């Protein structure tokens, strides 16, 4: 009984956590240049390449950010790699990695 209960709890926990983790990992990355950072509105304007999961061609647009602290580490002109998704009707940056400057 104890082994069965442990397996059931582990399976339930995995089923609860895994879809969120998979969804984050499944988002394709895109490259972009930061055009503007607005810490008051928690937004970043990016000139980006294709965002495949959103069927979005290259363009410049404003995104919400999942974590406003990210905005403290970027500035206009920086190159970044990011993922985005539509959250609550808003296009939102879900992950953000500053890229090293080109030599």
């Amino acid at each position: 009984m104890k082994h069965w209960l442990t397996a059931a709890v582990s399976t339930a926990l995995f089923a609860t956590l895994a879809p969120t983790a998979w969804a984050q990992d499944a988002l394709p990355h895109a490259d972009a240049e930061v055009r503007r950072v607005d810490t008051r509105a928690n937004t970043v304007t990016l000139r980006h390449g294709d965002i495949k999961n959103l069927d979005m061609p290259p363009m410049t647009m404003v995104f919400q950010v999942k974590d406003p602290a990210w905005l403290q580490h970027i500035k206009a002109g920086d190159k970044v790699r990011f993922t985005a998704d539509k959250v609550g009707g808003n296009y939102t940056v879900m992950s953000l990695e500053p890229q090293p400057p080109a030599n």
Side-chain angles (χ1 to χ4, degrees):
M1 174 84 173
K2 183 177 178 185
H3 177 69
W4 177 85
L5 182 58
T6 302
V9 169
S10 295
T11 301
L13 180 60
F14 180 75
T16 302
L17 297 177
T20 302
W22 290 341
Q24 286 295 107
D25 292 341
L27 293 175
H29 286 88
D31 294 318
E33 178 183 336
V34 176
R35 305 299 285 182
R36 182 170 187 250
V37 175
D38 185 342
T39 55
R40 294 175 113 188
N42 294 326
T43 61
V44 61
T45 303
L46 298 174
R47 187 174 89 197
H48 62 79
D50 286 326
I51 303 176
K52 294 183 188 318
N53 61 304
L54 298 174
D55 290 326
M56 188 179 293
M59 66 177 74
T60 300
M61 66 178 287
V62 178
F63 290 88
Q64 295 290 317
V65 291
K66 179 180 172 184
D67 184 349
W70 296 338
L71 300 177
Q72 304 303 317
H73 304 285
I74 58 172
K75 64 184 180 318
D78 286 352
K79 304 291 186 198
V80 296
R81 185 171 174 95
F82 73 105
T83 60
D85 209 354
K86 200 162 189 180
V87 177
N90 296 311
Y91 290 110
T92 304
V93 172
M94 303 302 290
S95 68
L96 182 69
E97 305 168 33
Q99 298 298 297
N103 292 328

